[in-house]
């Protein structure tokens, strides 16, 4: 597997670690005005779906894409609502893993060096995935910091 796609796989491995998170902590905001762990998982899953279903085809064709093809705030709110809809933790984790796995499997047959444009910026599909990996890492770091603080406060 391409090293970029292997990095993209790190999120899947991390999700399995979250199965051990207590349900009360799972749904608690990680900080004042922030999402819960559950909402972060749903957030990444919904953006994976957006990438696969909305963005990727135009990227593969090397198209000029608009900066955004969805209302990001509305999509994030919908993901948070879904995470807090009563869905079981393991079900959400399984859905998030399947979404990312499906995306990675699709990407294995894609030329990752294909260039496309968003606004004035030219990038490759690989560049985009690297940005997504950085996004994953940002949220994984937030979650880890929250879990360490929560564990230390009890």
């Amino acid at each position: 597997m391409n090293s970029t796609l292997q990095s993209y796989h790190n999120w899947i491995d991390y999700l399995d670690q979250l199965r051990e998170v207590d349900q009360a902590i799972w749904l608690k905001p990680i900080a004042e005005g922030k999402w819960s762990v559950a909402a972060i998982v749903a957030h990444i899953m919904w953006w994976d779906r957006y990438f696969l279903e909305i963005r990727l085809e135009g990227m593969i064709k090397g198209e000029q894409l608009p900066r955004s093809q969805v209302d990001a705030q509305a999509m994030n709110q919908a993901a948070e609502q879904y995470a807090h809809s009563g869905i079981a933790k393991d079900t959400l984790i399984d859905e998030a893993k399947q979404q990312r796995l499906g995306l990675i499997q699709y990407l294995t047959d894609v030329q990752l060096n294909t260039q496309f444009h968003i606004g004035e910026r030219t990038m490759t599909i690989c560049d985009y995935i690297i940005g997504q990996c950085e996004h994953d890492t940002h949220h994984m770091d937030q979650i880890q910091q929250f879990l360490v603080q929560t564990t230390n406060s009890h």
Side-chain angles (χ1 to χ4, degrees):
M1 180 182 291
N2 170 298
S3 63
T4 301
L5 292 182
Q6 186 58 49
S7 295
Y8 212 30
H9 201 278
N10 291 342
W11 174 243
I12 296 168
D13 299 332
Y14 185 73
L15 286 168
D16 282 326
Q17 296 174 33
L18 296 180
R19 291 186 193 280
E20 306 303 318
V21 174
D22 181 82
Q23 187 68 25
I25 293 170
W26 175 251
L27 295 172
K28 181 181 176 186
I30 64 169
E32 180 82 27
K34 297 287 186 181
W35 293 325
S36 65
V37 175
I40 292 170
V41 169
H43 160 76
I44 292 176
M45 179 176 73
W46 286 44
W47 283 101
D48 280 355
R49 184 178 304 133
Y50 168 76
F51 179 25
L52 181 62
E53 296 177 1
I54 308 294
R55 278 286 204 210
L56 190 53
E57 184 178 343
M59 292 174 174
I60 291 168
K61 292 177 179 176
E63 292 179 355
Q64 173 73 43
L65 301 172
R67 289 193 191 280
S68 181
Q69 292 169 276
V70 296
D71 179 339
Q73 186 174 354
M75 191 162 88
N76 289 338
Q77 287 175 338
E80 182 179 25
Q81 288 170 353
Y82 182 69
H84 290 265
S85 68
I87 186 171
K89 175 177 56 170
D90 283 340
T91 302
L92 180 57
I93 288 171
D94 289 342
E95 288 179 3
K97 285 179 66 172
Q98 286 305 320
Q99 184 65 50
R100 179 60 63 92
L101 273 173
L103 183 52
I104 290 170
Q105 287 171 344
Y106 189 89
L107 288 165
T108 58
D109 294 327
V110 169
Q111 291 294 328
L112 300 181
N113 61 350
T114 301
Q115 290 187 338
F116 63 95
H117 312 278
I118 296 179
E120 298 296 315
R121 189 167 178 210
T122 300
M123 59 192 321
T124 65
I125 295 171
C126 187
D127 295 333
Y128 188 88
I129 296 167
I130 290 168
Q132 294 302 104
C133 290
E134 291 168 356
H135 178 246
D136 292 347
T137 301
H138 164 74
H139 285 303
M140 288 187 286
D141 290 347
Q142 284 181 316
I143 291 169
Q144 278 310 113
Q145 184 176 10
F146 168 69
L147 294 176
V148 167
Q149 290 171 348
T150 304
T151 303
N152 291 341
S153 68
H154 286 103

